[in-house]
């Protein structure tokens, strides 16, 4: 199983970024996917979840209305569209899935929101 995130970077407050997570090594369309984030000195927190077919999504209260999780099962990729970014969104963002009862994480991508 491999999860590879991309799309992070430095953005000004109010800006947007789209993160991608390319998955391989398992039947992507059979599993729900999640995005987590971890800010310096803080615990890792769940940001967004999407079901295997993409029909149901859920978000942390802190990102509702600003972030959108989506997936393309033909491309084995899950996305996180982040709009109206705030400095408090600064963190390393991780892609996650539980595959055959094993916790699988990507390497993370840094998002920094700063003027």
């Amino acid at each position: 199983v491999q999860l590879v995130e991309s799309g992070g970077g430095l953005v000004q407050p109010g800006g947007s970024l789209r993160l991608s997570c390319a998955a391989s090594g398992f039947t992507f369309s059979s599993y729900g996917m999640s995005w987590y984030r971890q800010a310096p000195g803080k615990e890792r927190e769940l940001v967004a979840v999407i079901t295997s077919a993409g029909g149901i999504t859920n978000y942390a209260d802190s990102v509702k209305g600003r972030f959108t999780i989506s997936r393309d099962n033909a491309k084995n990729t899950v996305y996180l569209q982040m709009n109206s970014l705030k400095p408090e969104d600064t963190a390393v963002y991780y892609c996650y899935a539980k595959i055959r009862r094993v916790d699988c994480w990507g390497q993370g991508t840094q998002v920094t929101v700063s003027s």
Side-chain angles (χ1 to χ4, degrees):
V1 173
Q2 193 170 21
L3 301 172
V4 180
E5 301 97 335
S6 60
L10 173 64
V11 63
Q12 292 187 343
S16 298
L17 282 175
R18 188 175 83 153
L19 305 183
S20 300
C21 171
S24 60
F26 64 101
T27 305
F28 180 75
S29 59
S30 295
Y31 292 89
M33 300 293 297
S34 304
W35 285 96
Y36 282 75
R37 67 184 181 187
Q38 187 166 21
K42 294 189 176 181
E43 292 191 356
R44 196 170 294 190
E45 64 171 349
L46 178 63
V47 175
V49 181
I50 188 166
T51 52
S52 57
I56 298 174
T57 58
N58 207 354
Y59 299 90
D61 286 344
S62 58
V63 307
K64 276 181 184 175
R66 299 188 299 122
F67 290 12
T68 302
I69 188 171
S70 62
R71 64 191 296 159
D72 185 337
N73 285 347
K75 295 183 178 180
N76 287 1
T77 301
V78 61
Y79 304 98
L80 187 67
Q81 177 67 44
M82 305 186 296
N83 298 330
S84 302
L85 282 161
K86 305 175 181 180
E88 50 263 44
D89 294 318
T90 294
V92 178
Y93 284 72
Y94 296 91
C95 184
Y96 167 84
K98 187 180 285 287
I99 307 300
R100 297 182 284 273
R101 294 179 289 180
V102 176
D103 293 328
C104 299
W105 296 92
Q107 84 287 351
T109 186
Q110 176 70 47
V111 172
T112 302
V113 185
S114 175
S115 55

